[in-house]
Amino acid sequence: MKNRIITISREFGSGGRTIGKKVAENLGIPCYDRELIHKIAQESGFAEEYIQDAGEYSPGGFLASALSNRSFGPTNEDYFWEIQWKIITELAEKESCVIVGRCADYILRDKADCLTAFIHASMDYRADRIVRVYGEREVSPQERLRDKDKRRAAYHRFYTDMKWGDAKNYQITLDSGKLGIEQCVKILQMLY
C-alpha cells in the first residue's frame, strides 16, 4: 500500500481530534473521525447516535452479557466492527489520510504504512479543556473523563487484545498538556 496513514488514539479531552484535523489540514489530506460513524451508519442502516454509543462499549462487558447472548451469533457491535474494519481498510487503500480513533492503529497494523500516535494529558488539563472547549458541565469533568476513557479502553481491549494507551503499542505518545496542541501538530507533521 503506497499511502501514508496517521492513526491517532487519544484520551478524552486531550485534543487528539483537534490535533488530527490540524495535521490533516496542514498536510492537505483528509481526516476521518466522525465521518467514520457516518460511513458505518450508511452501510449498516443504523442511526449514527446508536453506532457512536455502541462503539464506546465493550461487547464483553457485564451489561452486554446480560442483554445479549453471543451463542446466538454476532452482536450489533460485532457487525459494526466488521463494517468499521472494511471502511478503514478501504480508506487506507484509497488515499493518504489521518484516522482518529476506531482502533485504526490495530486494523491497519499489517496493511498500511502507518504512523501510530497516542495523545494523552493530565486529568487536570483534560478536565479544564472539556469544560472550556465542549462546555461539559453535566457531571464532574473528572468523572466524565474516567468514564469515557474506561469505555474506550474496554472497547479497544475487547477487539484488539491490546492495552489502550500503552506506549509500546504506538510509535509515538504525546502529552498535549505539556507540549500544547500546536507542538503536537508540528511533531506529527515532521514525522509524516
Side-chain angles (χ1 to χ4, degrees), residues 152-168:
R152 285 180 179 174
Y155 179 83
H156 198 274
R157 170 75 75 173
F158 184 84
Y159 281 109
T160 69
D161 201 28
M162 294 168 46
K163 186 175 180 192
W164 177 78
D166 187 341
K168 70 182 173 207

Side-chain angles (χ1 to χ4, degrees), residues 13-138:
S14 66
R17 174 183 297 129
T18 302
I19 291 166
K21 288 190 178 300
K22 287 184 178 190
V23 168
E25 183 179 308
N26 292 347
L27 293 173
I29 59 177
C31 180
Y32 295 99
D33 176 29
R34 293 187 195 278
E35 299 82 1
L36 290 173
I37 295 170
H38 179 70
K39 287 178 179 296
I40 294 167
Q42 282 181 317
E43 189 149 332
S44 71
F46 284 90
E48 290 184 30
E49 296 78 21
Y50 180 74
I51 292 167
Q52 182 160 347
D53 287 344
E56 297 245 320
Y57 291 97
S58 165
F62 169 75
L63 185 58
S65 297
L67 298 176
S68 68
N69 186 341
R70 280 200 142 70
S71 64
F72 294 118
T75 63
N76 285 343
E77 291 82 5
D78 296 331
Y79 177 57
F80 299 150
W81 173 256
E82 288 178 25
I83 293 171
Q84 176 176 295
W85 185 290
K86 178 180 170 263
I87 290 170
I88 288 172
T89 302
E90 287 172 356
L91 288 171
E93 288 171 356
K94 182 177 108 179
E95 62 191 347
S96 295
C97 60
V98 175
I99 301 175
V100 179
R102 299 277 155 194
C103 301
D105 57 314
Y106 177 80
I107 291 170
L108 298 175
R109 71 192 181 284
D110 297 324
K111 295 178 178 59
D113 180 11
C114 283
L115 170 61
T116 59
F118 187 82
I119 310 297
H120 60 95
S122 71
M123 180 70 76
D124 289 341
Y125 173 83
R126 295 185 301 130
D128 176 65
R129 188 170 184 281
I130 67 169
V131 169
R132 270 187 305 104
V133 176
Y134 304 122
E136 294 273 343
R137 297 189 199 293
E138 292 175 19

